[in-house]
Each structure stands twice: as C-alpha cells, then as structure tokens.
Amino acid sequence: MRTKLIAGNWKMNGSLADNEQLCKAILAGMNTSQTAGVAVCAPAVYLSQLQNLLSGTAIALGSQDISSHEKGAFTGELSAAMLKEFGVRYAIVGHSERRQYHGETDTAVALKAKAALAAGITPIVCVGESLAERESDKTEEVVKRQLAAVIHENGHCISEIVVAYEPVWAIGTGKTATPEMAQAVHAVLRAQLHAASSVAAERVQILYGGSMNAANAASLLSMADIDGGLIGGAALKAADFLSIIAAAN
C-alpha cells in the first residue's frame, strides 16, 4: 500500500527569519508516530539554511526546479549534483508556473526528471490543464500527453517518480476540484502508469496540487488514487500545513 506524501511548495516566499520560525513550528507540531511523508520545497537560496534546520528530522528537503544539464554554461541553473550536496531529496519539475512563465515543454520536463532520477533525487512531475482546456473537455488529453513524455524518456525508472496533478485553474485561486473530479483525473494517470508498468502503477504516489488546504484535505485524501498533496499557500502557515499532514495519517 502506498504511503501518503505531503509536500509544501513555498514558491518565491520566505526569509531567513520566517523560514526558521515556520520549520520549528512544523517540527514541534508533528506527530512522531505519523506514517505520511513530509517535504518542503524551498527557494534555492534557502536550501543551505533548511538543510541545517531539517537534518535528522522527519521532513525531507526539496527544490523547486532542477537543470537537465550536468554542468556548463547555463547561467542561473542548478544541477542535480549541486542539489544533492545540500541534502535535496525531491525536485519539482514541470510546475505550471515554469511551463507558463519559462516556456518549459513536455520534453524539457522529461529531461529534468531524467537528470533528477540519475542523481537519486525524486522528481515531483507536475501535470495539469488550464481552465480553457477543461472547458473544452481536453483534461485527459493534456495530462496524458504531459505524463507520456516523462514515461517515454525515463522507461523503467518511471516507478521512482512522484506525479502531482495540479489543475492550473485551481492553483492559488481558492478554487479546487471536487474530490470526485480530482479522483477521476488521478485514476486516468494511474491507468496510464499501469499501461507503462504495473510496478509503477502500484508504487507511484500521485499528489493533488490544486489549492489543497486544511478544510478540504481530508475529503481529497480519502479518494483511492490521491496519495497526498503538493501544497502552496497553506504550506506557509504552520497550523494549516500541520492540519493537512494530520489528515494524511
């Protein structure tokens, strides 16, 4: 049986003082007997600070991006080897904001996932449709195309990824898919993984990433194929993040 995973995506938020206060509050409020995995994906400039704050704790460290290149003339990018030196265990790839604002293609996302896997970092592969695509009844087509690129590039290693379904129309808007709507898409993704590998279908955690919060977490996490959450705004509030973690246990 798959364990749940709750991963916070801090996006471009934080400060040295706020980060320390938030991490300490989360650690103080976590149940030592919990079964769900917990991770925080912080801005790159804070990875060193968080490595020190979280070392030896139940919270894993994640990055918000990763380069598909090993090294070289790629100003501003961070390689998997660099991230490993800071204890990074997860890396978000293909977030809708990266796809929208930085023009990341399905192929680019697949190559980033490949670089992460090669270094022993678990990529959190984001897929999701826009409001226009949902209203045009293209949700399944879009998410399957996005995941197919990652499956094609990574072959048997696909069982080592995490997938996050993040309907773009529900990110940071306060809107969220109903548990049934989210489950329907998660089931499509699970079937696609099964077609690629029965092992992957059983092992891969599929997170929901569309405005999961303290109020709706329990109902979303009760769905058969929702294995956790990729949490945005609620991850910046210790009480809310702790409530979501508790709902996953």
Side-chain angles (χ1 to χ4, degrees), residues 46 58-59 92 118 128 176 221 228:
Y46 296 131
I59 301 179
I92 299 173
T176 186
L221 293 168

Side-chain angles (χ1 to χ4, degrees), residues 130-150:
S130 67
L131 180 59
E133 288 165 337
R134 170 164 280 275
E135 291 179 340
S136 299
D137 204 24
K138 293 183 178 179
T139 295
E140 184 171 333
E141 173 188 336
V142 170
V143 299
K144 288 178 71 174
R145 185 201 74 225
Q146 292 169 336
L147 182 56
V150 178

Side-chain angles (χ1 to χ4, degrees), residues 30-140:
M30 285 175 60
N31 188 329
T32 55
S33 62
Q34 69 177 48
T35 57
V38 179
V40 293
C41 300
V45 293
Y46 296 131
L47 292 177
S48 179
Q49 179 198 22
L50 264 66
Q51 181 183 29
N52 291 326
L53 288 171
L54 302 178
S55 179
T57 75
I59 301 179
L61 183 57
S63 67
Q64 296 178 3
D65 193 22
I66 192 169
S67 177
S68 60
H69 306 285
E70 291 186 12
K71 59 182 178 180
F74 302 102
T75 301
E77 296 200 31
L78 300 171
S79 72
M82 293 173 182
L83 295 172
K84 283 286 283 187
E85 288 195 309
F86 290 91
V88 168
R89 181 176 169 189
Y90 295 96
I92 299 173
V93 299
H95 192 280
S96 62
E97 291 157 2
R98 299 291 308 179
R99 294 179 190 263
Q100 179 180 355
Y101 302 133
H102 299 273
E104 291 191 1
T105 64
D106 295 342
T107 299
V109 173
L111 291 173
K112 287 186 175 190
K114 186 175 184 178
L117 288 167
I121 295 174
T122 300
I124 300 176
V125 179
C126 298
V127 301
E129 82 285 12
S130 67
L131 180 59
E133 288 165 337
R134 170 164 280 275
E135 291 179 340
S136 299
D137 204 24
K138 293 183 178 179
T139 295
E140 184 171 333

Side-chain angles (χ1 to χ4, degrees), residues 163-246:
V163 176
Y165 168 54
E166 43 157 25
V168 179
W169 50 271
I171 300 173
T173 63
K175 298 179 180 179
T176 186
T178 65
E180 292 75 20
M181 289 164 63
Q183 166 59 27
V185 180
H186 280 235
V188 167
L189 296 169
R190 185 81 64 201
Q192 186 176 6
L193 289 166
H194 192 276
S197 164
S198 58
V199 174
E202 294 302 317
R203 291 183 54 175
V204 172
Q205 295 162 313
I206 307 179
L207 315 182
Y208 177 71
S211 294
M212 182 182 285
N213 55 50
N216 62 28
S219 58
L220 285 163
L221 293 168
S222 69
M223 297 291 105
D225 291 300
I226 298 182
D227 303 316
L230 181 60
I231 315 301
L236 299 171
K237 303 173 183 177
D240 288 357
F241 197 52
L242 286 166
S243 291
I244 296 170
I245 294 169

